[in-house]
Every structure is written in structure tokens, then in C-alpha cells.
């Protein structure tokens, strides 16, 4: 693992900085939080600009419109765009950060051709339909049922916490195809066109008063067999590929963002104890950045992020939580200034230890899969 820039990375960094300096001032003002048509237009326009400049899909294969750059260059891209305050992936989150990478790793040729170039050009928005009211942490316990009828799966069930469900054109859908098999063995991963008849999407209002999330009701929804990713009943393996991207690399730009926020907060921290606290958070984020580099090197060798990915999301969630809490304490009433941005940010950070698998579940996974500790016993514990 090399922590310093290679000559190619240094060249990309300089080129990217110049491009960002030129392009960012030309962008329109970001739209309001609840103006969804404008948000989709803004986020997909940014994705298109990245594509046209050759910066979309840094690590994705060239044949589908990516750059085929080594992972180190992908990190340079994330670092520079975040530091320059370029637009966040926004509605392109699922497509670019985990649906696209899953299709590259597991999809058929047709699936790749149909989706990858469009995701890269900002022409296709995705959402994730994994969680259910009774299956979040215990995702493998999902109940949404799919029955094969001819060349279609007929899907019935209910999904929840589906981010961008009301604007997504395609969903990553997990269904149960074999109810008799052990729960991890009867799941299938499907591509769900969100305009299929029988789908009802209902937005859920969050603590922030916005509606990023949706419930998705599926009533006799017919999904063609060719929309299956991986084999029937092999969906849990494919899900773990998706989650390795979602937990391993999808948080990288948020981490750079947290480092930038910590630097900004430093100007307002005068108390010695609080300065020490901030320094600890920054040191931790720096260490996580080094771990990210290691993960990315492993992704280069094996195609998916390595075991360090499991640590990353947990470490980041906790550091970000401490940073949010510290910034409220340091800023005090000042945090209500500038449109209450700091307060909003603090409320948003409360969701980070839950999204993409809670911290408790991440600890179980690290204990059992990484450290080989004994499996947790079902609750309630027997004497
Ligand atoms: C910002 C955000 C975005 C999200 N986006 C999506 C999305 O786009 N698509 C999607 O499908 N889902 C999404 N989710 C849902 C997310 O994956 C779930 O909320 C998460 O997996 C937890 O599941 P749950 O909410 O059902 O909580 P539960 O599973 O009910 O957990 C409740 C509490 O019990 C604890 N717990 C549960 N089991 C154990 C155990 N075995 N050991 C120890 N503690 C345990 C949990 O850690 C948690 O504290 C999103 C969530 C958030 C917050």
C-alpha cells in the first residue's frame, strides 16, 4: 500500500483541480431540499458533466463508458471533488456507488449494456428496495415473495426505507424465491423497473421534515426473468457484493467531507479540552482514510472491497457522530445561524450509524467474520 500520490495520481489531481475551478462557478445554485424534480435535474446534470469530462465511473470498465483507472485514482477523484465542494452524488447514490458496481461484478452482458452507460451519463436513477418492516438488521429474514410464472417473477410484498424510491427508475430488489430453504438460501436479487404496474411508492417524512425515504408496496408485480442478477436463490451472495460496496466505498466522500468540516470547526474551538477532542476525531478520520486506501488496493486485487470495508463504516459512523456532537457544543447558539445548517447536519448524522447496517450489526459481523469469534446466540438467551 502506498499512501503518497504516484506520478499518475499527482497528474490527475492537478488536472482535476483545474477542471473543478473552471466548472464549479458555472453551476446553477443547488435546488431546495424538497424540490425533487429540480434535485434530480441538478444531480443528473452534474453526473453528465463528469461523464463528458471523462471523470465518471473512475474505476469502471472503459467498454461501458468508465475510465478503468486504478482505485488510487478513484480516491484522488473523491478527495478533490469533495474538498472543492463539488455537488454530492445525491440521487445518483445507489446507481453509481453500489448498483452499478454490483452489475459490473455480477450482471449479464445485456444487463451491463442496458444500465452501466446510462448510470454513468446521469440518465438512470436507482433506488434500493432491500429493507422491510420486519427485516432491516435481519435482512435475510425478508418476506417479499416472488413466484416464477413462465418467464416472469410475480412479486408481492412491502419494502421500506427506500431512499430516492419516488424518483428511482430502477430498484435493487431482494425477494424470497424459496420459502422452504434456510433463510439465506432462498433469496434472489432482481432489477426492478419502478414503473412496472402494481408498484405503489409512498414517501415517509423524516426527522428533518424532508422525504428522502419511501415505502414501496408490491402487488402482483411482474418482473422478467432476464432482470435477475445471479442465479435464483443465490441472491444473498449477490447482496453481500452490493453491501461490500455500500459499506466499503460508498462512505468515502462523506469521510473527506467530515475532515473538511473538522478543519472548519477548528477555527471556532478555543477551549483546550475541546481542541484535544477535535484532534482525536481528526486523527481517527485520518486513520480511516489510510484504511480506505488499503481497502481500495484490495478492491483492485479482488474486485470487491476487502475485510477493512467492514471496519470503515463503523469507524466513520462513530467519528462522525462525535464530530456532530462536538460541533453543537462548540457552536452553541451560533449553530442556529446560517439557516440552521449545523443543526440540520447534526440531525442527519444521527442516521449514519443506522444506514447500510447498524453499528451493532457491524460489530457482530466484525466479531464473527473477521475475528472468528463465536456466533451470537439468538435472543432471548437461554440459560
Ligand atoms: C439514512 C438511511 C438510508 C437508508 N436507505 C435505505 C435504502 O435505500 N434501502 C433500504 O432497503 N434500506 C435503507 N435503509 C434501512 C437500513 O438498512 C435499516 O434501517 C437498517 O438496516 C436497520 O434496520 P431496522 O431499521 O429495521 O432496525 P432493526 O433491525 O429493527 O434494529 C433496531 C435496533 O436493534 C439492534 N439490533 C437488531 N438486531 C441486533 C442483533 N442481532 N444484535 C445487536 N443489536 C441488534 C439494531 O442495531 C438497532 O439498534 C436506510 C436507513 C437509513 C437510516
Amino acid at each position: 500500500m502506498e499512501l503518497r500520490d504516484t506520478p499518475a495520481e499527482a497528474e490527475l489531481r492537478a488536472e482535476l483541480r483545474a477542471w473543478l475551478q473552471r466548472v464549479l462557478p458555472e453551476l446553477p445554485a443547488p435546488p431546495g431540499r424538497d424540490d425533487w424534480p429540480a434535485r434530480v435535474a441538478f444531480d443528473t446534470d452534474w453526473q453528465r458533466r463528469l461523464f463528458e469530462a471523462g471523470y465518471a465511473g473512475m474505476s469502471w470498465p472503459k467498454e461501458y463508458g468508465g475510465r478503468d483507472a486504478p482505485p488510487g485514482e478513484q480516491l484522488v477523484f473523491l478527495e478533490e471533488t469533495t474538498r472543492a465542494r463539488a455537488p454530492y452524488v445525491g440521487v445518483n447514490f445507489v446507481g453509481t456507488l453500489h448498483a452499478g458496481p454490483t452489475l459490473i461484478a455480477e450482471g449479464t452482458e445485456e444487463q451491463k449494456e442496458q444500465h452501466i452507460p446510462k448510470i454513468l451519463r446521469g440518465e438512470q436513477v436507482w433506488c434500493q428496495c432491500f429493507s422491510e418492516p420486519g427485516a432491516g438488521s435481519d435482512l435475510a429474514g425478508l418476506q417479499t415473495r416472488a413466484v416464477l410464472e413462465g418467464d416472469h417473477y410475480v412479486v408481492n410484498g412491502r419494502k421500506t426505507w427506500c431512499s430516492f424510491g419516488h424518483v428511482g427508475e430502477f430498484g435493487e430488489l431482494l425477494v424470497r424465491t424459496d420459502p422452504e430453504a434456510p433463510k439465506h438460501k432462498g433469496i434472489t436479487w432482481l432489477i426492478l423497473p419502478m414503473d412496472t404496474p402494481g408498484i405503489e411508492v409512498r414517501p415517509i417524512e423524516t426527522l428533518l421534515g424532508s422525504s428522502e425515504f419511501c415505502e414501496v408496496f408490491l402487488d402482483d408485480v411482474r418482473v422478467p426473468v432476464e432482470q435477475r442478477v445471479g442465479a435464483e436463490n443465490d441472491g444473498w451472495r449477490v447482496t453481500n457484493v452490493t453491501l461490500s460496496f455500500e459499506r466499503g466505498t460508498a462512505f468515502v466522500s462523506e469521510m473527506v467531507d467530515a475532515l473538511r468540516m473538522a478543519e472548519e470547526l477548528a477555527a471556532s474551538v478555543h477551549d483546550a479540552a475541546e481542541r484535544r477532542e477535535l484532534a482525536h476525531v481528526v486523527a481517527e478520520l485520518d486513520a480511516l482514510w489510510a484504511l480506505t486506501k488499503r481497502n481500495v488496493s484490495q478492491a483492485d486485487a479482488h474486485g470487491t472491497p476487502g475485510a477493512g470495508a467492514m471496519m470503515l463504516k463503523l469507524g466513520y459512523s462513530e467519528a462522525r457522530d462525535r464530530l456532530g456532537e462536538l460541533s453543537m457544543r462548540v457552536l452553541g447558539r451560533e449553530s442556529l445561524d446560517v439557516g440552521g445548517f449545523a443543526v440540520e447536519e447534526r440531525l442527519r448524522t444521527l442516521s449514519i450509524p443506522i444506514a447500510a447496517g447498524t453499528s451493532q450489526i457491524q460489530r457482530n459481523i466484525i466479531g464473527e467474520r473477521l475475528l472468528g469469534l463465536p456466533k451470537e446466540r439468538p435472543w432471548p438467551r437461554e440459560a
Side-chain angles (χ1 to χ4, degrees), residues 94 127-133 135-138 160-163 213 246 351-352 354-361 364 376:
V94 174
C127 59
Q128 183 186 62
C129 306
F130 278 13
S131 305
E132 296 180 5
S137 299
D138 180 23
T160 192
W161 310 129
C162 175
S163 310
F213 289 132
E246 187 176 358
S351 71
I352 298 174
I354 304 171
T358 67
S359 294
Q360 289 82 358
I361 294 303
N364 284 349
E376 70 163 329

PDB file of all heavy atoms in Angstrom, residues 94 127-133 135-138 160-163 213 246 351-352 354-361 364 376, ligand 1:
ATOM      1  N   VAL A  94     -27.298   5.413  -5.256  1.00  0.00           N
ATOM      2  CA  VAL A  94     -27.423   3.954  -5.379  1.00  0.00           C
ATOM      3  C   VAL A  94     -26.817   3.476  -6.705  1.00  0.00           C
ATOM      4  O   VAL A  94     -26.048   2.511  -6.752  1.00  0.00           O
ATOM      5  CB  VAL A  94     -28.906   3.519  -5.253  1.00  0.00           C
ATOM      6  CG1 VAL A  94     -29.075   2.033  -5.530  1.00  0.00           C
ATOM      7  CG2 VAL A  94     -29.432   3.858  -3.857  1.00  0.00           C
ATOM      8  N   CYS A 127     -32.731   3.139  -6.995  1.00  0.00           N
ATOM      9  CA  CYS A 127     -33.010   3.141  -5.561  1.00  0.00           C
ATOM     10  C   CYS A 127     -32.812   1.714  -5.048  1.00  0.00           C
ATOM     11  O   CYS A 127     -32.589   0.806  -5.843  1.00  0.00           O
ATOM     12  CB  CYS A 127     -34.430   3.628  -5.281  1.00  0.00           C
ATOM     13  SG  CYS A 127     -35.709   2.646  -6.072  1.00  0.00           S
ATOM     14  N   GLN A 128     -32.866   1.572  -3.728  1.00  0.00           N
ATOM     15  CA  GLN A 128     -32.613   0.244  -3.157  1.00  0.00           C
ATOM     16  C   GLN A 128     -33.826  -0.256  -2.386  1.00  0.00           C
ATOM     17  O   GLN A 128     -34.257   0.391  -1.431  1.00  0.00           O
ATOM     18  CB  GLN A 128     -31.417   0.303  -2.208  1.00  0.00           C
ATOM     19  CG  GLN A 128     -31.044  -1.048  -1.636  1.00  0.00           C
ATOM     20  CD  GLN A 128     -29.947  -0.942  -0.601  1.00  0.00           C
ATOM     21  OE1 GLN A 128     -30.127  -0.304   0.423  1.00  0.00           O
ATOM     22  NE2 GLN A 128     -28.811  -1.554  -0.865  1.00  0.00           N
ATOM     23  N   CYS A 129     -34.371  -1.392  -2.793  1.00  0.00           N
ATOM     24  CA  CYS A 129     -35.525  -1.984  -2.102  1.00  0.00           C
ATOM     25  C   CYS A 129     -35.060  -3.269  -1.415  1.00  0.00           C
ATOM     26  O   CYS A 129     -35.342  -4.373  -1.894  1.00  0.00           O
ATOM     27  CB  CYS A 129     -36.653  -2.287  -3.083  1.00  0.00           C
ATOM     28  SG  CYS A 129     -37.173  -0.893  -4.077  1.00  0.00           S
ATOM     29  N   PHE A 130     -34.335  -3.107  -0.326  1.00  0.00           N
ATOM     30  CA  PHE A 130     -33.857  -4.251   0.452  1.00  0.00           C
ATOM     31  C   PHE A 130     -34.687  -4.406   1.733  1.00  0.00           C
ATOM     32  O   PHE A 130     -35.313  -5.418   1.955  1.00  0.00           O
ATOM     33  CB  PHE A 130     -32.378  -4.054   0.857  1.00  0.00           C
ATOM     34  CG  PHE A 130     -31.355  -4.422  -0.193  1.00  0.00           C
ATOM     35  CD1 PHE A 130     -31.701  -4.646  -1.513  1.00  0.00           C
ATOM     36  CD2 PHE A 130     -30.007  -4.542   0.157  1.00  0.00           C
ATOM     37  CE1 PHE A 130     -30.740  -4.987  -2.467  1.00  0.00           C
ATOM     38  CE2 PHE A 130     -29.039  -4.887  -0.785  1.00  0.00           C
ATOM     39  CZ  PHE A 130     -29.405  -5.103  -2.088  1.00  0.00           C
ATOM     40  N   SER A 131     -34.681  -3.346   2.578  1.00  0.00           N
ATOM     41  CA  SER A 131     -35.293  -3.458   3.912  1.00  0.00           C
ATOM     42  C   SER A 131     -36.800  -3.636   3.841  1.00  0.00           C
ATOM     43  O   SER A 131     -37.451  -3.176   2.909  1.00  0.00           O
ATOM     44  CB  SER A 131     -35.020  -2.185   4.725  1.00  0.00           C
ATOM     45  OG  SER A 131     -33.661  -1.911   4.789  1.00  0.00           O
ATOM     46  N   GLU A 132     -37.294  -4.306   4.886  1.00  0.00           N
ATOM     47  CA  GLU A 132     -38.745  -4.472   5.036  1.00  0.00           C
ATOM     48  C   GLU A 132     -39.100  -4.124   6.478  1.00  0.00           C
ATOM     49  O   GLU A 132     -38.208  -4.070   7.330  1.00  0.00           O
ATOM     50  CB  GLU A 132     -39.134  -5.936   4.756  1.00  0.00           C
ATOM     51  CG  GLU A 132     -38.849  -6.331   3.324  1.00  0.00           C
ATOM     52  CD  GLU A 132     -39.214  -7.780   3.010  1.00  0.00           C
ATOM     53  OE1 GLU A 132     -39.795  -8.471   3.888  1.00  0.00           O
ATOM     54  OE2 GLU A 132     -38.927  -8.200   1.875  1.00  0.00           O
ATOM     55  N   PRO A 133     -40.401  -3.921   6.768  1.00  0.00           N
ATOM     56  CA  PRO A 133     -40.754  -3.568   8.148  1.00  0.00           C
ATOM     57  C   PRO A 133     -40.184  -4.571   9.164  1.00  0.00           C
ATOM     58  O   PRO A 133     -39.784  -4.199  10.248  1.00  0.00           O
ATOM     59  CB  PRO A 133     -42.282  -3.566   8.130  1.00  0.00           C
ATOM     60  CG  PRO A 133     -42.629  -3.254   6.708  1.00  0.00           C
ATOM     61  CD  PRO A 133     -41.561  -3.893   5.865  1.00  0.00           C
ATOM     62  N   ALA A 135     -37.547  -6.714   8.454  1.00  0.00           N
ATOM     63  CA  ALA A 135     -36.234  -7.213   8.012  1.00  0.00           C
ATOM     64  C   ALA A 135     -35.318  -6.041   7.664  1.00  0.00           C
ATOM     65  O   ALA A 135     -35.305  -5.564   6.535  1.00  0.00           O
ATOM     66  CB  ALA A 135     -36.394  -8.138   6.806  1.00  0.00           C
ATOM     67  N   GLY A 136     -34.617  -5.553   8.702  1.00  0.00           N
ATOM     68  CA  GLY A 136     -33.624  -4.495   8.493  1.00  0.00           C
ATOM     69  C   GLY A 136     -32.275  -5.087   8.847  1.00  0.00           C
ATOM     70  O   GLY A 136     -31.521  -5.542   7.994  1.00  0.00           O
ATOM     71  N   SER A 137     -32.009  -5.156  10.164  1.00  0.00           N
ATOM     72  CA  SER A 137     -30.772  -5.808  10.615  1.00  0.00           C
ATOM     73  C   SER A 137     -30.770  -7.263  10.171  1.00  0.00           C
ATOM     74  O   SER A 137     -29.766  -7.783   9.698  1.00  0.00           O
ATOM     75  CB  SER A 137     -30.670  -5.751  12.138  1.00  0.00           C
ATOM     76  OG  SER A 137     -30.633  -4.410  12.558  1.00  0.00           O
ATOM     77  N   ASP A 138     -31.911  -7.896  10.348  1.00  0.00           N
ATOM     78  CA  ASP A 138     -32.021  -9.291   9.915  1.00  0.00           C
ATOM     79  C   ASP A 138     -32.531  -9.308   8.474  1.00  0.00           C
ATOM     80  O   ASP A 138     -33.618  -9.815   8.182  1.00  0.00           O
ATOM     81  CB  ASP A 138     -32.996 -10.030  10.846  1.00  0.00           C
ATOM     82  CG  ASP A 138     -33.144 -11.493  10.451  1.00  0.00           C
ATOM     83  OD1 ASP A 138     -32.230 -12.028   9.793  1.00  0.00           O
ATOM     84  OD2 ASP A 138     -34.196 -12.086  10.775  1.00  0.00           O
ATOM     85  N   THR A 160     -39.377  -1.005   2.780  1.00  0.00           N
ATOM     86  CA  THR A 160     -39.394   0.293   3.462  1.00  0.00           C
ATOM     87  C   THR A 160     -38.011   0.932   3.479  1.00  0.00           C
ATOM     88  O   THR A 160     -37.034   0.290   3.079  1.00  0.00           O
ATOM     89  CB  THR A 160     -39.969   0.151   4.894  1.00  0.00           C
ATOM     90  OG1 THR A 160     -40.216   1.466   5.413  1.00  0.00           O
ATOM     91  CG2 THR A 160     -39.003  -0.580   5.824  1.00  0.00           C
ATOM     92  N   TRP A 161     -37.931   2.181   3.904  1.00  0.00           N
ATOM     93  CA  TRP A 161     -36.692   2.972   3.971  1.00  0.00           C
ATOM     94  C   TRP A 161     -35.987   3.038   2.620  1.00  0.00           C
ATOM     95  O   TRP A 161     -34.756   3.046   2.561  1.00  0.00           O
ATOM     96  CB  TRP A 161     -35.694   2.417   4.996  1.00  0.00           C
ATOM     97  CG  TRP A 161     -36.262   2.153   6.343  1.00  0.00           C
ATOM     98  CD1 TRP A 161     -36.154   0.994   7.046  1.00  0.00           C
ATOM     99  CD2 TRP A 161     -37.007   3.061   7.179  1.00  0.00           C
ATOM    100  NE1 TRP A 161     -36.801   1.113   8.250  1.00  0.00           N
ATOM    101  CE2 TRP A 161     -37.324   2.363   8.364  1.00  0.00           C
ATOM    102  CE3 TRP A 161     -37.440   4.384   7.044  1.00  0.00           C
ATOM    103  CZ2 TRP A 161     -38.053   2.949   9.395  1.00  0.00           C
ATOM    104  CZ3 TRP A 161     -38.174   4.954   8.070  1.00  0.00           C
ATOM    105  CH2 TRP A 161     -38.454   4.237   9.214  1.00  0.00           C
ATOM    106  N   CYS A 162     -36.772   3.042   1.555  1.00  0.00           N
ATOM    107  CA  CYS A 162     -36.174   3.023   0.219  1.00  0.00           C
ATOM    108  C   CYS A 162     -35.792   4.463  -0.156  1.00  0.00           C
ATOM    109  O   CYS A 162     -36.653   5.269  -0.516  1.00  0.00           O
ATOM    110  CB  CYS A 162     -37.214   2.441  -0.738  1.00  0.00           C
ATOM    111  SG  CYS A 162     -36.696   2.486  -2.424  1.00  0.00           S
ATOM    112  N   SER A 163     -34.491   4.776  -0.026  1.00  0.00           N
ATOM    113  CA  SER A 163     -34.043   6.146  -0.332  1.00  0.00           C
ATOM    114  C   SER A 163     -34.243   6.414  -1.823  1.00  0.00           C
ATOM    115  O   SER A 163     -33.920   5.558  -2.647  1.00  0.00           O
ATOM    116  CB  SER A 163     -32.558   6.329  -0.019  1.00  0.00           C
ATOM    117  OG  SER A 163     -32.249   5.873   1.259  1.00  0.00           O
ATOM    118  N   PHE A 213     -37.002   9.125   1.976  1.00  0.00           N
ATOM    119  CA  PHE A 213     -37.325   7.707   2.065  1.00  0.00           C
ATOM    120  C   PHE A 213     -38.709   7.404   1.557  1.00  0.00           C
ATOM    121  O   PHE A 213     -39.584   8.255   1.643  1.00  0.00           O
ATOM    122  CB  PHE A 213     -37.461   7.303   3.528  1.00  0.00           C
ATOM    123  CG  PHE A 213     -36.238   7.257   4.314  1.00  0.00           C
ATOM    124  CD1 PHE A 213     -36.218   7.873   5.552  1.00  0.00           C
ATOM    125  CD2 PHE A 213     -35.135   6.567   3.904  1.00  0.00           C
ATOM    126  CE1 PHE A 213     -35.116   7.795   6.347  1.00  0.00           C
ATOM    127  CE2 PHE A 213     -34.040   6.481   4.702  1.00  0.00           C
ATOM    128  CZ  PHE A 213     -34.022   7.106   5.930  1.00  0.00           C
ATOM    129  N   GLU A 246     -21.486  -0.845  -0.676  1.00  0.00           N
ATOM    130  CA  GLU A 246     -22.271   0.155   0.060  1.00  0.00           C
ATOM    131  C   GLU A 246     -21.583   0.522   1.376  1.00  0.00           C
ATOM    132  O   GLU A 246     -21.561   1.676   1.782  1.00  0.00           O
ATOM    133  CB  GLU A 246     -23.681  -0.402   0.320  1.00  0.00           C
ATOM    134  CG  GLU A 246     -24.619   0.623   0.917  1.00  0.00           C
ATOM    135  CD  GLU A 246     -26.048   0.105   1.086  1.00  0.00           C
ATOM    136  OE1 GLU A 246     -26.312  -1.053   0.703  1.00  0.00           O
ATOM    137  OE2 GLU A 246     -26.877   0.867   1.597  1.00  0.00           O
ATOM    138  N   SER A 351     -28.546   9.495  11.546  1.00  0.00           N
ATOM    139  CA  SER A 351     -28.970   8.340  10.736  1.00  0.00           C
ATOM    140  C   SER A 351     -27.784   7.510  10.241  1.00  0.00           C
ATOM    141  O   SER A 351     -27.960   6.377   9.799  1.00  0.00           O
ATOM    142  CB  SER A 351     -29.802   8.816   9.540  1.00  0.00           C
ATOM    143  OG  SER A 351     -28.967   9.470   8.598  1.00  0.00           O
ATOM    144  N   ILE A 352     -26.569   8.076  10.329  1.00  0.00           N
ATOM    145  CA  ILE A 352     -25.420   7.376   9.722  1.00  0.00           C
ATOM    146  C   ILE A 352     -25.122   6.028  10.410  1.00  0.00           C
ATOM    147  O   ILE A 352     -24.869   5.031   9.741  1.00  0.00           O
ATOM    148  CB  ILE A 352     -24.182   8.290   9.647  1.00  0.00           C
ATOM    149  CG1 ILE A 352     -24.512   9.483   8.738  1.00  0.00           C
ATOM    150  CG2 ILE A 352     -22.962   7.543   9.110  1.00  0.00           C
ATOM    151  CD1 ILE A 352     -23.437  10.546   8.688  1.00  0.00           C
ATOM    152  N   ILE A 354     -27.115   4.026  11.457  1.00  0.00           N
ATOM    153  CA  ILE A 354     -28.208   3.077  11.144  1.00  0.00           C
ATOM    154  C   ILE A 354     -28.157   2.671   9.675  1.00  0.00           C
ATOM    155  O   ILE A 354     -28.305   1.493   9.338  1.00  0.00           O
ATOM    156  CB  ILE A 354     -29.591   3.728  11.438  1.00  0.00           C
ATOM    157  CG1 ILE A 354     -29.664   4.216  12.888  1.00  0.00           C
ATOM    158  CG2 ILE A 354     -30.720   2.734  11.161  1.00  0.00           C
ATOM    159  CD1 ILE A 354     -30.896   5.055  13.189  1.00  0.00           C
ATOM    160  N   ALA A 355     -27.929   3.664   8.795  1.00  0.00           N
ATOM    161  CA  ALA A 355     -27.966   3.402   7.348  1.00  0.00           C
ATOM    162  C   ALA A 355     -26.960   2.322   6.965  1.00  0.00           C
ATOM    163  O   ALA A 355     -25.881   2.242   7.557  1.00  0.00           O
ATOM    164  CB  ALA A 355     -27.656   4.691   6.589  1.00  0.00           C
ATOM    165  N   ALA A 356     -27.334   1.496   5.989  1.00  0.00           N
ATOM    166  CA  ALA A 356     -26.453   0.454   5.442  1.00  0.00           C
ATOM    167  C   ALA A 356     -26.002  -0.555   6.501  1.00  0.00           C
ATOM    168  O   ALA A 356     -24.945  -1.163   6.384  1.00  0.00           O
ATOM    169  CB  ALA A 356     -25.232   1.086   4.756  1.00  0.00           C
ATOM    170  N   GLY A 357     -26.814  -0.754   7.540  1.00  0.00           N
ATOM    171  CA  GLY A 357     -26.467  -1.720   8.594  1.00  0.00           C
ATOM    172  C   GLY A 357     -26.035  -0.988   9.850  1.00  0.00           C
ATOM    173  O   GLY A 357     -25.115  -0.175   9.796  1.00  0.00           O
ATOM    174  N   THR A 358     -26.685  -1.280  10.980  1.00  0.00           N
ATOM    175  CA  THR A 358     -26.410  -0.514  12.207  1.00  0.00           C
ATOM    176  C   THR A 358     -25.017  -0.849  12.770  1.00  0.00           C
ATOM    177  O   THR A 358     -24.418  -1.873  12.420  1.00  0.00           O
ATOM    178  CB  THR A 358     -27.455  -0.818  13.305  1.00  0.00           C
ATOM    179  OG1 THR A 358     -27.283  -2.181  13.719  1.00  0.00           O
ATOM    180  CG2 THR A 358     -28.869  -0.608  12.815  1.00  0.00           C
ATOM    181  N   SER A 359     -24.566  -0.001  13.692  1.00  0.00           N
ATOM    182  CA  SER A 359     -23.248  -0.228  14.299  1.00  0.00           C
ATOM    183  C   SER A 359     -23.204  -1.540  15.073  1.00  0.00           C
ATOM    184  O   SER A 359     -22.189  -2.237  15.069  1.00  0.00           O
ATOM    185  CB  SER A 359     -22.893   0.944  15.233  1.00  0.00           C
ATOM    186  OG  SER A 359     -22.731   2.100  14.453  1.00  0.00           O
ATOM    187  N   GLN A 360     -24.322  -1.887  15.719  1.00  0.00           N
ATOM    188  CA  GLN A 360     -24.341  -3.161  16.467  1.00  0.00           C
ATOM    189  C   GLN A 360     -24.138  -4.330  15.496  1.00  0.00           C
ATOM    190  O   GLN A 360     -23.387  -5.268  15.770  1.00  0.00           O
ATOM    191  CB  GLN A 360     -25.691  -3.338  17.194  1.00  0.00           C
ATOM    192  CG  GLN A 360     -25.902  -2.420  18.371  1.00  0.00           C
ATOM    193  CD  GLN A 360     -26.390  -1.029  17.958  1.00  0.00           C
ATOM    194  OE1 GLN A 360     -26.548  -0.729  16.775  1.00  0.00           O
ATOM    195  NE2 GLN A 360     -26.607  -0.175  18.928  1.00  0.00           N
ATOM    196  N   ILE A 361     -24.805  -4.247  14.346  1.00  0.00           N
ATOM    197  CA  ILE A 361     -24.696  -5.329  13.370  1.00  0.00           C
ATOM    198  C   ILE A 361     -23.284  -5.357  12.771  1.00  0.00           C
ATOM    199  O   ILE A 361     -22.697  -6.425  12.578  1.00  0.00           O
ATOM    200  CB  ILE A 361     -25.778  -5.157  12.273  1.00  0.00           C
ATOM    201  CG1 ILE A 361     -27.171  -5.339  12.880  1.00  0.00           C
ATOM    202  CG2 ILE A 361     -25.558  -6.094  11.095  1.00  0.00           C
ATOM    203  CD1 ILE A 361     -27.413  -6.644  13.588  1.00  0.00           C
ATOM    204  N   ASN A 364     -21.175  -7.176  15.152  1.00  0.00           N
ATOM    205  CA  ASN A 364     -21.383  -8.631  15.061  1.00  0.00           C
ATOM    206  C   ASN A 364     -20.608  -9.195  13.863  1.00  0.00           C
ATOM    207  O   ASN A 364     -19.953 -10.231  13.961  1.00  0.00           O
ATOM    208  CB  ASN A 364     -22.871  -8.971  14.875  1.00  0.00           C
ATOM    209  CG  ASN A 364     -23.663  -8.838  16.166  1.00  0.00           C
ATOM    210  OD1 ASN A 364     -23.083  -8.694  17.237  1.00  0.00           O
ATOM    211  ND2 ASN A 364     -24.976  -8.876  16.055  1.00  0.00           N
ATOM    212  N   GLU A 376     -23.198 -15.033  17.692  1.00  0.00           N
ATOM    213  CA  GLU A 376     -24.086 -14.595  18.774  1.00  0.00           C
ATOM    214  C   GLU A 376     -25.214 -15.604  18.918  1.00  0.00           C
ATOM    215  O   GLU A 376     -25.641 -16.217  17.939  1.00  0.00           O
ATOM    216  CB  GLU A 376     -24.651 -13.208  18.478  1.00  0.00           C
ATOM    217  CG  GLU A 376     -25.637 -13.178  17.346  1.00  0.00           C
ATOM    218  CD  GLU A 376     -26.475 -11.913  17.325  1.00  0.00           C
ATOM    219  OE1 GLU A 376     -26.738 -11.349  18.387  1.00  0.00           O
ATOM    220  OE2 GLU A 376     -26.872 -11.502  16.229  1.00  0.00           O
TER     221      GLU A 376
HETATM  222  C1  LIG B   1     -30.313   7.193   6.042  1.00  0.00           C
HETATM  223  C2  LIG B   1     -30.820   5.804   5.774  1.00  0.00           C
HETATM  224  C3  LIG B   1     -30.952   5.369   4.462  1.00  0.00           C
HETATM  225  C4  LIG B   1     -31.450   4.083   4.207  1.00  0.00           C
HETATM  226  N1  LIG B   1     -31.649   3.726   2.904  1.00  0.00           N
HETATM  227  C5  LIG B   1     -32.155   2.511   2.626  1.00  0.00           C
HETATM  228  C6  LIG B   1     -32.426   2.151   1.272  1.00  0.00           C
HETATM  229  O1  LIG B   1     -32.261   2.942   0.336  1.00  0.00           O
HETATM  230  N2  LIG B   1     -32.937   0.914   1.038  1.00  0.00           N
HETATM  231  C7  LIG B   1     -33.163   0.020   2.029  1.00  0.00           C
HETATM  232  O2  LIG B   1     -33.574  -1.091   1.735  1.00  0.00           O
HETATM  233  N3  LIG B   1     -32.936   0.340   3.344  1.00  0.00           N
HETATM  234  C8  LIG B   1     -32.449   1.574   3.660  1.00  0.00           C
HETATM  235  N4  LIG B   1     -32.237   1.925   4.973  1.00  0.00           N
HETATM  236  C9  LIG B   1     -32.631   0.994   6.029  1.00  0.00           C
HETATM  237  C10 LIG B   1     -31.463   0.434   6.845  1.00  0.00           C
HETATM  238  O3  LIG B   1     -30.726  -0.503   6.108  1.00  0.00           O
HETATM  239  C11 LIG B   1     -32.071  -0.168   8.142  1.00  0.00           C
HETATM  240  O4  LIG B   1     -32.667   0.891   8.863  1.00  0.00           O
HETATM  241  C12 LIG B   1     -31.022  -0.831   8.996  1.00  0.00           C
HETATM  242  O5  LIG B   1     -30.501  -1.977   8.373  1.00  0.00           O
HETATM  243  C13 LIG B   1     -31.591  -1.217  10.375  1.00  0.00           C
HETATM  244  O6  LIG B   1     -32.760  -1.946  10.246  1.00  0.00           O
HETATM  245  P1  LIG B   1     -34.090  -1.517  11.048  1.00  0.00           P
HETATM  246  O7  LIG B   1     -34.313  -0.064  10.810  1.00  0.00           O
HETATM  247  O8  LIG B   1     -35.162  -2.464  10.662  1.00  0.00           O
HETATM  248  O9  LIG B   1     -33.731  -1.673  12.582  1.00  0.00           O
HETATM  249  P2  LIG B   1     -33.812  -3.031  13.428  1.00  0.00           P
HETATM  250  O10 LIG B   1     -33.208  -4.132  12.653  1.00  0.00           O
HETATM  251  O11 LIG B   1     -35.220  -3.192  13.906  1.00  0.00           O
HETATM  252  O12 LIG B   1     -32.862  -2.680  14.632  1.00  0.00           O
HETATM  253  C14 LIG B   1     -33.312  -1.936  15.790  1.00  0.00           C
HETATM  254  C15 LIG B   1     -32.171  -1.883  16.793  1.00  0.00           C
HETATM  255  O13 LIG B   1     -31.851  -3.219  17.263  1.00  0.00           O
HETATM  256  C16 LIG B   1     -30.471  -3.503  17.070  1.00  0.00           C
HETATM  257  N5  LIG B   1     -30.281  -4.915  16.703  1.00  0.00           N
HETATM  258  C17 LIG B   1     -31.023  -5.635  15.814  1.00  0.00           C
HETATM  259  N6  LIG B   1     -30.548  -6.895  15.735  1.00  0.00           N
HETATM  260  C18 LIG B   1     -29.477  -6.979  16.560  1.00  0.00           C
HETATM  261  C19 LIG B   1     -28.564  -8.015  16.901  1.00  0.00           C
HETATM  262  N7  LIG B   1     -28.639  -9.219  16.328  1.00  0.00           N
HETATM  263  N8  LIG B   1     -27.576  -7.736  17.780  1.00  0.00           N
HETATM  264  C20 LIG B   1     -27.471  -6.498  18.353  1.00  0.00           C
HETATM  265  N9  LIG B   1     -28.328  -5.465  18.072  1.00  0.00           N
HETATM  266  C21 LIG B   1     -29.319  -5.708  17.197  1.00  0.00           C
HETATM  267  C22 LIG B   1     -30.052  -2.597  15.907  1.00  0.00           C
HETATM  268  O14 LIG B   1     -28.660  -2.357  15.909  1.00  0.00           O
HETATM  269  C23 LIG B   1     -30.865  -1.340  16.185  1.00  0.00           C
HETATM  270  O15 LIG B   1     -30.228  -0.537  17.132  1.00  0.00           O
HETATM  271  C24 LIG B   1     -31.768   3.209   5.278  1.00  0.00           C
HETATM  272  C25 LIG B   1     -31.625   3.647   6.595  1.00  0.00           C
HETATM  273  C26 LIG B   1     -31.174   4.934   6.854  1.00  0.00           C
HETATM  274  C27 LIG B   1     -31.070   5.378   8.284  1.00  0.00           C
END
